[in-house]
Amino acid sequence: MHDHSDKNEGGGGGNSPQTPDPQDQNIENALSKIKHKLIVMSGKGGVGKSSFATNLAVALAAKGFSTGLMDVDLHGPSIAGMVGINGLLEVSQETQQVVPKKVSEHLKVVSMQSLMKDPDQAVIWRGPAKTGIIRQFIGDVFWDALDFLIVDSPPGTGDEPLSVAQTITGAKALIVTTPQDVALADVRKSINFCRAVNLELVGLVENMGPFACPCCGKTVELFKSQGGRLTAEAMGVTFLGTLPFDPEVVKSCDQGAPIAAAGQSGPFVAALETVVQAVIGRL
């Protein structure tokens, strides 16, 4: 054994390998109270990943599950606007932890947007800073006991999804895609990313799928059909279902009242229910 008596000599400071990192302990404590951790990913932008993450969280909360929604898309946070919250996050005087914004009885949210006084401020950070804030979003936030923590990750396979995969022990991934070949090519990269970092895949969701024309009832395909299902089958991944394109999804998210909220109905809500049940069944 080495003599560690001079480990702090010269004012180097820092924790020795034998000294647990307090933030690591905070993260471990926080995660121990969360049953299911789901990272919502996409291979590319523009596939409706954040709106799906939001509607998934709202739908789970509406079923009575205690749900947290965490937005780690640090450069383009949109969750706060989609659930209709504003203002800065507060710190509990009792626990000295950040208090998530409460959206409903069973849903609470933390977003980068809630840390910035100017919502139009550009976030210009390198990788280590991103990792630091993601760790804080878990360990320094009073999530308390949750059935689900839904993490909205930025598109691609960069710093944020890697940090989430490495930090959130036991996390599982949901991948969102649209049916066209360009998106599906990037989905295959996301699937391989998950496998490379040992991130279990719950399955693949196809968004903006075929829908019935409101004028004539004819089925309209914005991109193509069955692309997500075929890709899932080819890659050996569970296909969780298709969500039809619906302008009301965009409108409701822009208004801060997601379409999955109680009282809403229609083809998208019915398809979302099928996907939510498939997700629950996989867990």
Side-chain angles (χ1 to χ4, degrees):
M1 293 181 64
H2 295 288
D3 182 2
H4 294 290
S5 60
D6 61 344
K7 64 186 176 211
N8 290 325
E9 196 171 310
N15 293 326
S16 74
Q18 286 74 32
T19 305
D21 183 334
Q23 191 175 56
D24 284 343
Q25 292 183 310
N26 289 342
I27 290 171
E28 185 177 340
N29 291 339
L31 294 177
S32 69
K33 299 177 184 178
I34 302 171
K35 291 180 183 177
H36 303 293
K37 286 82 75 174
L38 300 177
I39 306 172
V40 180
M41 303 175 62
S42 68
K44 66 187 296 296
V47 300
K49 170 187 53 59
S50 294
S51 62
F52 170 72
T54 299
N55 278 297
L56 172 63
V58 169
L60 289 168
K63 292 179 180 297
F65 292 111
S66 180
T67 306
L69 179 57
M70 186 170 81
D71 189 355
V72 299
D73 191 345
L74 304 179
H75 296 289
S78 53
I79 293 293
M82 289 184 180
V83 295
I85 61 172
N86 50 53
L88 300 178
L89 293 169
E90 297 179 356
V91 176
S92 166
Q93 295 300 314
E94 183 179 345
T95 65
Q96 295 301 305
Q97 288 181 298
V98 173
V99 181
K101 291 280 186 178
K102 192 166 184 178
V103 177
S104 65
E105 182 182 358
H106 299 295
L107 179 62
K108 42 194 173 184
V109 176
V110 165
S111 170
M112 185 68 199
Q113 197 76 42
S114 301
L115 297 179
M116 300 186 295
K117 291 183 179 180
D118 179 3
D120 295 328
Q121 177 184 341
V123 178
I124 306 172
W125 283 348
R126 295 188 185 275
K130 295 178 186 179
T131 299
I133 194 68
I134 288 169
R135 286 171 58 82
Q136 285 186 292
F137 273 9
I138 302 164
D140 295 347
V141 171
F142 185 65
W143 289 110
D144 204 13
L146 293 177
D147 294 309
F148 290 92
L149 177 64
I150 309 299
V151 182
D152 182 35
S153 183
T157 55
D159 292 314
E160 294 92 325
L162 181 59
S163 295
V164 171
Q166 292 175 334
T167 304
I168 304 183
T169 306
K172 300 179 181 180
L174 279 166
I175 298 180
V176 181
T177 185
T178 44
Q180 82 273 37
D181 290 339
V182 171
L184 295 170
D186 289 330
V187 159
R188 291 189 284 271
K189 296 183 181 69
S190 292
I191 292 171
N192 287 327
F193 166 84
C194 291
R195 289 171 175 165
V197 299
N198 296 317
L199 185 61
E200 184 179 335
L201 267 163
V202 176
L204 181 67
V205 177
E206 183 180 84
N207 197 22
M208 302 187 202
F211 63 99
C213 173
C215 298
C216 66
K218 181 180 178 182
T219 298
V220 179
E221 297 178 4
L222 287 179
F223 303 108
K224 59 191 289 188
S225 63
Q226 300 295 318
R229 180 185 294 277
L230 293 173
T231 298
E233 290 174 357
M235 295 291 289
V237 173
T238 300
F239 184 67
L240 298 169
T242 297
L243 301 173
F245 177 81
D246 189 343
E248 286 300 317
V249 174
V250 180
K251 182 179 178 182
S252 62
C253 282
D254 280 350
Q255 292 174 341
I259 198 169
Q264 302 273 15
S265 61
F268 180 90
V269 174
L272 178 68
E273 173 64 17
T274 299
V275 170
V276 171
Q277 291 295 347
V279 170
I280 293 172
R282 287 277 292 152
L283 299 175

